[in-house]
Amino acid sequence: MPQHLAVETLGGGVRLITLQRPQALNALTTALLAELAQALAEAEADPHTQVVVLTGNRKAFAAGADLKEMAERDLTGILNDPRQSSWEQIRRFSKPLIAAVNGFALGGGCELAMHADIIIAGEDARFGQPEINLGIMPGAGGTQRLPRTVGKSLAMQMVLTGEAIDARHALRAGLVSEVTQPELVVERALQLARLIAGKAPLALRLAKEALLKAMDTDLASGLRLERHAFTVLAGTRDREEGIAAFQEKRPAQFSGH
Ligand code: HXC
């Protein structure tokens, strides 16, 4: 049983993972990250789970790496420690992942939100990379995902000043796709998750892979990957089912084959 997060299987192909270290604003300890990686590995292996929603609480999604733990550690070892392999496992999660963010998403917390495929934010959410104030810099993808998402100028501003941006700014910059009232964030994320969970699993997986590829490849390679994925899906039973359902004016029942 995980100690620092709650995992709920909600039916309809959706799992909700809630970070639960409220006393430290969900700061990411090595143990918490390992539990999260494990929870995602279990969701990955479960054929009944199609989409995962990841959230924190009203005050914080996650306020970054746990600074008490970091104070006791040799930072030079951090790239080889279990925390990095947990990040790697989180990165490799191949089903759709939605972050429902209220309050602080700082440092590793902002980087964790950026591991999600879709971010829904409450009006009071704050996204920032304050590592520079600690004499360090982002270490879980912040310097790479942020500029790819919000552009160079804002990414530089956030990383070099350490100042956070609010939810509306994050929306304008494309870091999040929707802003809702704080009390509706999780519900909206679950609504999207249920919608996505009804789609063909293979199509979801390959569409996610192709979209992520767009972040780190040239157009020609991306188009090649897309064409290949499209061809793979063309040979699936779910493609036949999707088109048959359209013609028969009924909802599609996808099997994942
Ligand atoms: C450990 C933390 C914490 C953190 C907050 N807490 N952030 N503990 N690690 N990152 C603890 C506080 O010590 C305090 O516990 C409790 O949570 C409530 O926090 P307060 O500071 O009292 O709340 P508030 O005044 O509302 O300020 C909120 C805050 C501030 C602005 C978010 O807590 C803050 O600046 N936190 C640090 C944010 C940060 O620098 N994150 C980046 C970390 S570096 P006690 O017991 O003292 O009352 C990083 C690198 C990633 O993420 C590298 C990845 C490989």
Side-chain angles (χ1 to χ4, degrees):
M1 280 290 283
Q3 289 182 4
H4 307 302
L5 44 88
V7 181
E8 294 164 77
T9 304
L10 299 179
V14 176
R15 246 180 224 201
L16 176 64
I17 300 178
T18 307
L19 305 181
Q20 285 188 329
R21 289 192 74 227
Q23 72 283 7
L25 305 185
N26 289 333
L28 306 167
T29 56
T30 308
L32 185 154
L33 283 168
E35 286 184 2
L36 179 57
Q38 175 65 26
L40 289 175
E42 286 166 14
E44 181 89 52
D46 176 14
H48 301 297
T49 297
Q50 303 305 342
V51 184
V52 171
V53 173
L54 175 64
T55 195
N57 57 49
R58 276 291 289 271
K59 175 139 195 214
F61 176 72
D66 189 281
L67 292 173
K68 292 198 179 93
E69 192 182 66
M70 267 175 75
E72 293 156 12
R73 294 172 67 91
D74 171 12
L75 261 187
T76 56
I78 211 163
L79 294 177
N80 298 320
D81 82 1
R83 191 194 317 245
Q84 285 302 323
S85 69
S86 294
W87 283 111
E88 182 54 23
Q89 284 176 49
I90 295 165
R91 186 182 75 77
R92 276 194 266 129
F93 183 61
S94 75
K95 296 176 180 178
L97 178 63
I98 304 177
V101 176
N102 272 319
F104 297 110
L106 302 178
C110 185
E111 291 169 306
L112 178 59
M114 286 192 285
H115 276 67
D117 303 307
I118 298 172
I119 306 178
I120 306 297
E123 279 156 357
D124 60 356
R126 293 187 67 75
F127 296 86
Q129 299 289 162
E131 291 90 340
I132 205 81
N133 298 325
L134 305 167
I136 54 172
M137 59 177 276
T143 65
Q144 302 305 302
R145 291 195 180 90
L146 206 52
R148 284 168 163 83
T149 309
V150 305
K152 173 185 154 190
S153 183
L154 182 56
M156 284 279 186
Q157 186 177 321
M158 289 171 70
V159 171
L160 300 184
T161 68
E163 284 191 353
I165 60 171
D166 64 20
R168 294 275 158 205
H169 196 167
L171 181 66
R172 284 199 305 280
L175 181 58
V176 311
S177 53
E178 286 186 20
V179 174
T180 73
Q181 291 170 28
E183 57 275 22
L184 298 180
V185 171
V186 175
E187 197 39 55
R188 177 61 182 148
L190 290 175
Q191 203 177 47
L192 289 172
R194 285 190 286 266
L195 188 63
I196 293 169
K199 316 296 181 194
L202 275 172
L204 287 176
R205 182 173 302 226
L206 290 179
K208 169 170 172 165
E209 190 185 334
L211 280 155
L212 288 177
K213 198 71 183 170
M215 310 266 282
D216 72 352
T217 195
D218 62 283
L219 183 61
S221 312
L223 290 174
R224 254 196 317 279
L225 178 93
E226 185 190 76
R227 231 177 3 254
H228 177 69
F230 189 88
T231 310
V232 169
L233 293 175
T236 61
R237 257 182 269 157
D238 277 348
R239 196 249 341 165
E240 287 169 23
E241 164 62 9
I243 292 175
F246 174 78
Q247 287 172 333
E248 292 159 22
K249 299 187 190 303
R250 60 171 174 82
Q253 293 292 330
F254 294 117
S255 64
H257 299 289

